[in-house]
Amino acid sequence: MCSIIYVAVLLLPLVDLSFWGWSSSVSATPQPRKVPGGSWEALQRQKRNWVWNQFFVLEEYTGTDPLYVGKLHSDVDKGDGNVKYVLMGEGASSIFTIDENTGDIHATKRLDREEQGYYTLRAQAVDRETNIPVEDESEFIVKVQDINDNEPKFPDGPYTAAVPEMSPLGTMVVQVAATDADDPTYGHSARVVYSIIHGQPYFSVEPKTGIIRTALPNMDRERRDQYVLVIQAKDMMGQMGGLSGTTSVTVMLTDVNDNPPRFPHKPYQCSVNESLVVASEVTRLKAEDADLGPNAEMDYHIVDSDGPGMFSIITDEETQEGVIILQKPLDYETKNTFSLRVEATNRNIDPQFLTFGPFSDTVAVKVNVKDVNEPPVFTTPLSKMVVSEAARVNTTIGTVLARDPDSANSSIRYSIDRNTDLERYFNVDSLLGVITTAKALDREVNSVHNITIFAIESQDPSQVGRGTAVITVMDINDNAPVFAIEYETLVCENASPGQVIQTISAVDKDEPPGGHRFFFSLASPATSNHNFTLRDNKDNTASVLTSRDGFQRREQALYQLPVLITDSGSPTLSSTNTLLVRVCDCDVEGVPQACGAVAHTLPAGLSTGALVAILACIFTLLGKAWEEEEEPLILEDERDVRENIVRYDDEGGGEEDTEAFDMVALRNLNIMRDPKVRRDVTPETPTFFSYPPSTASRLAYKMLPDNVLFREFIWDRLKEADADPSAPPYDSLQTYAFEGSGSVAESLSSLESLSSDSEQSYDYLSNWGPRFKKLADLYGTMEGSGFFS
């Protein structure tokens, strides 16, 4: 038995079924069919055969009752309730329900096409009692029909864009795009158009593409650099009732070089001190440029100046300022104003904006030089002078001259920086600048003196100029020639007459070092000796020769040969140098084997060490005796003066601290010192004025004891005190040339160890002969009341 399922759709009377995919192949009423020959054949009634595959449901249904979707019906269903309709598939029972008696399908929930556009279901008709299918299972689709319930949205908004300033009309800025979640295939729900709500008249938007373009030409960033646009996208092709969405577009105008540099102030003026050092900054000036970054970069040039080479200008890359730099020293007295003309030019010029004017500007700059009090200036900063080392004290060497560069032209006083003349060889006249010798010079000690001369303004002593005097000491022949080295001359016992045993040479401290001519001869005491002769080789050397043979060490082991050496200077100087010649025992080839005195055979029982100890004791006793007989070096009341010990309760001044030396301890110096004055601190300002020492002080010095050790020291300090009472001595001298009165350690001499309990016996000394008679008398009778008893 065949059956037919009828499908009823809610919208069936309203729509064309063929539009939704429905079709009907057989009508309900049979139609005649034309046969060949032109006659019509009556047709029999055929079974209806409905073809269906979709139901339609509107989304977003807002009614209170379930939404009717459609109806399933089978021809088997006679209406007696024996057929039951079953619904299966997506959303069955949860979203879609079916009336099992009538086959009516309803949607029980609100559907959203944007969440799910269609549902696939299966339907079947079964016998109610047996559940046996009376129809084959059939699959159909319920499609959710779209309505315009979604407004356009900008997924990439808000937008940020940039366009160069001064861009021509219609320059593209950015393209915006909106999306609509509605079905683009049904109606116009998803067809959007664009419009600009805010941002006119500066910008426009193309309705279909969303491209934003400039609507005005030559927009200037310097006037306004940012615009905020509001763009609207509306569906339904912009018709009334359509939904819309908006987004913002921030448009930045980027900079171009359309502004030339301009100096805001004209002219510029600045003032600088004439003491400004070279390469220092004089002033800064800046040309204003409304552009940004590289478009505002500029270079500065000095295009004109009444002081050529005095100034230069550079660009500060961070601030874009022009920095004027001093190139030569300023002098107020020579020129006190300078006029410059400075040009500022853009570094990066855009040719398309050349019509906006020249991209450079110039300004006049006036530099005023202010006068300052300058120190004196030497006419010759480096003075070279020459003096003979034979020059007497107060000999004039040369003159230095300084002047005050200021308009006041203050008088100048001169002095020597004693740090450059520690030995005080020179003096300078404080008013005239004449340099003279203060003591005898010695070229061999110091051939060149490099001293600093101070020039001080009388009105302002803080203004001190400095000059240098290089004094070269010229040589005179004041040094006699001497042996070049200390010679060790040996002669063999078997030497033959005329044999050269030594070649000698000489040196002379005088100039020239390599130009001397020396003459050698034996001194008068040795001219008639029969042992050696001297031969002058005429080349600044001499040879010592033997005059005989048969030298014997036992007879004489050492010869002293006085050699007279004379130079060729003017005046001629000579010196006698002693050449020691030792007699040696040599082998057959003349190589010395043993030299010096021959050791005598010692008596049996006396070792060499004992002999040495005895001789040491004898010399010690003799030294003690001579010391007691010698005149003391100091007065009796000063015998106990030893090196003083100074106790410090605080940390002293280090190596320069001379307070540790009590100068009163120096012999009878009769010089009073203020103990409260520190003598180890260098004065802050040098002493520049010298005063002649008073007659009283010189007489007091002359009346001091004739003490060679301290005379020079006292005289130097006296001159220093006369020159400047505030200048302290920087070092002090304390010499001890005498022995104290005793020691708590008592005597450590080995002599006192020789007492009566000594185990050594010296009776054998009496057997040594007459030469040891004295020792035998001293040590031979240790048992009795001898020397040490």
Side-chain angles (χ1 to χ4, degrees):
M1 176 180 177
C2 295
S3 63
I4 299 175
I5 299 178
Y6 295 94
V7 180
V9 181
L10 179 62
L11 299 179
L12 192 59
L14 303 178
V15 298
D16 183 6
L17 294 179
S18 63
F19 180 81
W20 299 106
W22 292 76
S23 63
S24 176
S25 59
V26 180
S27 63
T29 303
Q31 298 294 331
R33 183 170 59 91
K34 190 174 183 178
V35 298
S39 63
W40 295 86
E41 180 183 9
L43 299 179
Q44 295 180 355
R45 178 182 177 88
Q46 295 181 359
K47 184 180 70 172
R48 291 178 300 174
N49 184 20
W50 293 97
V51 179
W52 55 272
N53 60 3
Q54 284 185 345
F55 286 100
F56 293 90
V57 179
L58 287 176
E59 67 171 335
E60 304 296 344
Y61 172 70
T62 58
T64 57
D65 296 331
L67 177 64
Y68 181 74
V69 177
K71 184 179 181 65
L72 297 179
H73 185 71
S74 172
D75 289 343
V76 179
D77 186 3
K78 303 300 182 180
D80 54 4
N82 291 328
V83 177
K84 181 176 66 172
Y85 297 95
V86 179
L87 187 63
M88 297 167 291
E90 288 182 306
S93 300
S94 59
I95 298 176
F96 302 99
T97 60
I98 188 170
D99 189 326
E100 61 181 15
N101 295 320
T102 64
D104 294 330
I105 301 174
H106 291 81
T108 60
K109 291 184 177 180
R110 184 177 180 179
L111 302 180
D112 187 354
R113 189 199 67 84
E114 287 69 40
E115 292 182 2
Q116 186 166 344
Y118 62 91
Y119 297 86
T120 301
L121 299 172
R122 301 189 306 277
Q124 194 172 36
V126 299
D127 185 274
R128 184 179 298 276
E129 293 182 359
T130 63
N131 281 334
I132 297 175
V134 296
E135 293 282 357
D136 293 334
E137 182 180 293
S138 179
E139 183 181 89
F140 64 95
I141 294 175
V142 176
K143 185 174 182 181
V144 181
Q145 187 177 358
D146 181 52
I147 64 173
N148 190 18
D149 61 340
N150 290 278
E151 72 278 3
K153 295 182 179 180
F154 293 88
D156 298 328
Y159 294 84
T160 301
V163 64
E165 64 173 331
M166 313 303 293
S167 294
L169 180 67
T171 300
M172 177 179 173
V173 180
V174 69
Q175 183 177 13
V176 297
T179 60
D180 195 316
D182 292 326
D183 189 356
T185 63
Y186 174 69
H188 303 299
S189 298
R191 300 183 65 180
V192 300
V193 294
Y194 302 94
S195 61
I196 183 168
I197 297 177
H198 182 73
Q200 295 175 332
Y202 307 103
F203 299 92
S204 62
V205 61
E206 294 181 358
K208 294 183 178 180
T209 62
I211 297 176
I212 300 175
R213 300 182 183 275
T214 58
L216 289 179
N218 301 329
M219 286 189 290
D220 192 356
R221 184 200 66 81
E222 286 71 37
R223 295 183 180 180
R224 183 177 178 182
D225 62 352
Q226 178 176 306
Y227 297 84
V228 179
L229 316 180
V230 178
I231 304 298
Q232 182 189 67
K234 189 174 184 180
D235 59 13
M236 299 299 292
M237 299 184 64
Q239 298 177 3
M240 184 177 296
L243 302 178
S244 63
T246 59
T247 187
S248 65
V249 180
T250 301
V251 180
M252 304 292 296
L253 295 184
T254 58
D255 184 59
V256 297
N257 191 9
D258 59 337
N259 292 277
R262 293 291 180 263
F263 286 103
H265 306 293
K266 296 184 179 182
Y268 275 86
Q269 286 195 15
C270 66
S271 298
V272 293
N273 293 327
E274 64 173 329
S275 59
L276 186 69
V277 298
V278 173
S280 298
E281 177 181 318
V282 177
T283 188
R284 288 174 175 254
L285 61 159
K286 183 177 183 180
E288 294 182 351
D289 192 324
D291 296 322
L292 300 175
N295 297 321
E297 293 178 356
M298 61 190 77
D299 295 318
Y300 295 87
H301 308 278
I302 297 178
V303 295
D304 189 21
S305 173
D306 61 355
M310 286 295 298
F311 305 97
S312 64
I313 189 168
I314 60 174
T315 302
D316 188 327
E317 297 299 335
E318 293 185 1
T319 63
Q320 291 301 309
E321 294 176 307
V323 184
I324 298 179
I325 305 298
L326 181 65
Q327 295 294 105
K328 296 181 180 179
L330 298 172
D331 187 3
Y332 174 83
E333 288 71 27
T334 303
K335 187 175 179 62
N336 55 22
T337 59
F338 293 90
S339 296
L340 314 175
R341 192 160 192 84
V342 177
E343 179 186 51
T345 305
N346 267 147
R347 190 175 296 170
N348 306 304
I349 300 177
D350 193 338
Q352 63 177 328
F353 300 111
L354 289 177
T355 57
F356 284 56
F359 283 79
S360 64
D361 194 17
T362 60
V363 66
V365 180
K366 184 177 182 180
V367 180
N368 298 313
V369 181
K370 297 189 295 184
D371 187 26
V372 296
N373 191 10
E374 299 173 275
V377 177
F378 283 86
T379 55
T380 304
L382 179 63
S383 300
K384 295 183 178 180
M385 304 176 184
V386 177
V387 62
S388 173
E389 67 174 323
R392 297 183 178 182
V393 176
N394 293 327
T395 298
T396 299
I397 303 174
T399 304
V400 293
L401 180 62
R403 64 176 182 85
D404 183 7
D406 300 317
S407 56
N409 196 17
S410 174
S411 59
I412 306 298
R413 288 184 175 273
Y414 302 93
S415 66
I416 294 177
D417 181 4
R418 291 304 177 185
N419 290 323
T420 61
D421 184 27
L422 296 176
E423 299 298 329
R424 296 179 176 269
Y425 284 110
F426 307 99
N427 287 328
V428 62
D429 189 284
S430 61
L431 299 177
L432 302 178
V434 177
I435 299 177
T436 58
T437 58
K439 60 166 59 174
L441 303 175
D442 189 352
R443 187 201 66 84
E444 287 70 38
V445 175
N446 193 349
S447 61
V448 178
H449 297 266
N450 194 332
I451 63 174
T452 299
I453 309 298
F454 291 131
I456 307 100
E457 285 189 19
S458 298
Q459 297 179 359
D460 186 4
S462 65
Q463 298 299 321
V464 181
R466 289 169 175 79
T468 302
V470 179
I471 302 174
T472 302
V473 182
M474 302 301 295
D475 183 50
I476 62 172
N477 191 26
D478 59 344
N479 291 276
V482 295
F483 278 155
I485 61 173
E486 184 177 351
Y487 292 100
E488 183 179 2
T489 305
L490 308 176
V491 61
C492 294
E493 289 181 315
N494 56 357
S496 58
Q499 180 178 347
V500 177
I501 61 173
Q502 184 69 61
T503 299
I504 60 176
S505 61
V507 293
D508 194 324
K509 294 182 180 179
D510 296 319
E511 292 182 342
H516 291 284
R517 175 69 175 90
F518 300 119
F519 305 93
F520 300 88
S521 63
L522 292 177
S524 56
T527 54
S528 60
N529 81 93
H530 302 290
N531 301 311
F532 305 98
T533 59
L534 184 68
R535 182 182 66 201
D536 194 334
N537 297 324
K538 309 300 183 181
D539 60 354
N540 286 347
T541 65
S543 299
V544 180
L545 300 87
T546 57
S547 299
R548 64 180 181 88
D549 57 0
F551 292 92
Q552 297 296 326
R553 286 191 299 155
R554 292 182 178 274
E555 295 179 0
Q556 187 171 349
L558 180 65
Y559 292 88
Q560 296 183 354
L561 189 64
V563 179
L564 179 65
I565 308 175
T566 306
D567 63 16
S568 58
S570 178
T572 300
L573 295 180
S574 62
S575 67
T576 300
N577 301 262
T578 301
L579 182 67
L580 299 180
V581 181
R582 298 183 183 276
V583 180
C584 300
D585 180 18
C586 303
D587 57 14
V588 294
E589 296 180 357
V591 177
Q593 301 296 320
C595 300
V598 178
H600 295 278
T601 304
L602 295 178
L606 182 62
S607 64
T608 304
L611 180 59
V612 172
I614 293 173
L615 294 177
C617 295
I618 294 174
F619 288 126
T620 303
L621 289 174
L622 294 177
K624 287 291 184 177
W626 292 338
E627 183 177 343
E628 293 178 358
E629 295 176 1
E630 188 178 356
E631 185 68 20
L633 296 177
I634 60 173
L635 301 179
E636 287 295 325
D637 56 353
E638 294 178 339
R639 286 185 179 274
D640 291 336
V641 178
R642 295 182 294 277
E643 181 174 358
N644 56 305
I645 299 176
V646 179
R647 179 177 177 270
Y648 286 90
D649 288 332
D650 58 353
E651 185 173 355
E655 295 180 355
E656 297 180 1
D657 192 346
T658 59
E659 289 295 329
F661 301 96
D662 186 5
M663 300 304 294
V664 180
L666 301 178
R667 311 171 195 161
N668 299 328
L669 296 183
N670 298 329
I671 298 179
M672 301 303 294
R673 296 179 60 206
D674 185 1
K676 298 181 180 179
V677 178
R678 292 274 302 181
R679 306 297 287 174
D680 59 341
V681 181
T682 304
E684 294 182 357
T685 57
T687 302
F688 305 113
F689 309 106
S690 59
Y691 302 92
S694 63
T695 304
S697 62
R698 291 185 179 272
L699 291 177
Y701 163 72
K702 296 300 183 181
M703 295 174 63
L704 289 174
D706 187 12
N707 193 322
V708 178
L709 295 175
F710 306 114
R711 179 185 301 164
E712 186 66 17
F713 174 83
I714 297 172
W715 176 232
D716 288 344
R717 293 301 179 267
L718 182 61
K719 288 193 297 182
E720 179 183 2
D722 289 340
D724 184 5
S726 66
Y730 298 111
D731 53 0
S732 59
L733 176 65
Q734 191 167 6
T735 305
Y736 304 97
F738 51 88
E739 184 177 356
S741 60
S743 171
V744 296
E746 300 181 352
S747 176
L748 300 179
S749 172
S750 60
L751 294 177
E752 294 185 3
S753 65
L754 296 177
S755 58
S756 58
D757 59 349
S758 174
E759 299 179 0
Q760 182 67 48
S761 174
Y762 300 100
D763 293 337
Y764 52 82
L765 292 177
S766 60
N767 299 326
W768 285 11
R771 294 185 179 182
F772 295 90
K773 183 177 183 303
K774 185 63 175 178
L775 288 176
D777 294 340
L778 292 174
Y779 294 91
T781 57
M782 299 296 295
E783 303 293 342
S785 57
F787 182 80
F788 293 101
S789 300

